Amino acid sequence: MSEAVSPVENPTDPLPLTGERTVPGIAEENYWFRRHEIAYVRMLERCAGKVVLEAGSGEGYGANMIAEVAAQVTGLDYDDSAVAHVRAKYPRVHMVQGNLADLPLDDASVDIVVNFQVIEHLWDQAQFLRECLRVLRPGGKLLISTPNRITFSPGRDTPLNPFHTRELNAAEMTELLVEAGFSVELMAGIFHGPALVALDQKWGGSIIDAQIERALAGEPWPAELAADVAAVSIDDFELLADTERDIDASLDLLAVAVKQ
């Protein structure tokens, strides 16, 4: 008798939560998903009518959002399962597998590179930024976000997240971008708005810490915490330029860098 063959996993099924990326549609992950999603929503207008590369597209929800307004969107990721998932679930995205340190695109071939919550995972951040500069057309823009090291791993030189290689503050991010050949048009931060500030107070000073504590404990979440997290929307976050609020107090950094 021949050995039974396991059915092939459906690539449209939700990607597993590994801690390396966020995915939509999971109630307990909703806070982090919305905190990532705001960058796409607020930067979407800059992608309108443009040829866009999302370098490190992960689950693909962001590239699919961009495809609603862009002339063309290419998604790029190194992970086999992510590439298969995007190709199956988001057909508007031209999905390519490749290494972010050696982008498989021609010189001066795109108008916009999007890189949200990815650079902190890379070993050679400077090389990646040089590659972004290479594939951008003159006047093209890099839209990039990353956790703010000062608030994400406070008081540490090494990241708390085991999937992060190096986290940055605003000054370090600016220095990397300028050294790669970009000029920085905007440096902004993502902050908790009033509703999330109220939840911070409700949950002992930090809704983030409350979630992390429950996750590390490996126990079911209190129903009230689960409901509060599931109700978070992008409107509960604020995106403010460094001229509007102390950038070092932000949760995440979001920069717009231009190729001259």
Side-chain angles (χ1 to χ4, degrees):
M1 181 182 294
S2 62
E3 185 176 346
V5 177
S6 300
V8 176
E9 181 183 358
N10 184 349
T12 61
D13 289 344
L15 291 177
L17 270 182
T18 63
E20 192 170 10
R21 60 178 168 239
T22 188
V23 299
I26 299 175
E28 292 84 359
E29 181 71 5
N30 184 59
Y31 168 88
W32 298 102
F33 174 70
R34 300 303 178 190
R35 183 165 147 180
H36 289 190
E37 186 185 31
I38 187 175
Y40 290 100
V41 173
R42 297 297 173 84
M43 293 289 109
L44 208 56
E45 185 178 352
R46 295 176 183 266
C47 299
K50 304 294 186 181
V51 176
V52 180
L53 166 68
E54 182 171 16
S57 51
E59 195 274 344
Y61 70 89
N64 189 56
M65 289 174 63
I66 295 167
E68 294 179 4
V69 301
Q72 176 185 327
V73 178
T74 297
L76 176 68
D77 207 279
Y78 191 73
D79 182 72
D80 291 337
S81 61
V83 171
H85 178 79
V86 174
R87 286 174 176 166
K89 187 173 182 180
Y90 303 117
R92 295 187 298 184
V93 178
H94 173 59
M95 193 64 197
V96 176
Q97 186 168 21
N99 192 329
L100 270 64
D102 185 17
L103 298 176
L105 279 78
D106 293 335
D107 294 358
S109 58
V110 299
D111 302 309
I112 302 285
V113 175
V114 173
N115 182 251
F116 290 157
Q117 303 292 325
V118 173
I119 193 171
E120 65 275 6
H121 295 266
L122 304 182
W123 288 103
D124 195 339
Q125 297 173 343
Q127 169 63 16
F128 166 66
L129 292 178
R130 289 192 293 268
E131 278 291 279
C132 291
L133 191 79
R134 179 184 65 80
V135 303
L136 280 166
R137 295 168 179 152
K141 297 181 179 181
L142 169 63
L143 315 179
I144 183 167
S145 74
T146 191
N148 177 12
R149 175 176 61 79
I150 296 172
T151 58
F152 199 79
S153 297
R156 293 174 57 97
D157 294 325
T158 56
L160 284 170
N161 188 318
F163 294 104
H164 292 181
T165 60
R166 179 195 176 196
E167 295 169 356
L168 305 165
N169 63 27
E172 292 161 345
M173 168 82 91
T174 299
E175 182 179 18
L176 272 176
L177 291 168
V178 171
E179 287 180 349
F182 288 97
S183 62
V184 178
E185 178 181 290
L186 173 70
M187 180 64 71
I190 293 171
F191 299 85
H192 281 177
L196 280 168
V197 170
L199 285 181
D200 283 332
Q201 296 170 350
K202 176 180 177 179
W203 291 101
S206 173
I207 184 69
I208 298 171
D209 289 347
Q211 295 175 77
I212 293 172
E213 287 170 9
R214 299 321 190 276
L216 291 177
E219 300 173 353
W221 286 25
E224 192 172 4
L225 176 62
D228 284 345
V229 169
V232 172
S233 76
I234 62 166
D235 293 332
D236 296 325
F237 295 93
E238 295 179 344
L239 178 64
L240 301 172
D242 56 2
T243 55
E244 299 175 278
R245 191 164 171 186
D246 178 12
I247 195 73
D248 287 342
S250 66
L251 301 166
D252 300 315
L253 306 168
L254 194 155
V256 177
V258 183
K259 177 179 179 177
Q260 300 300 324

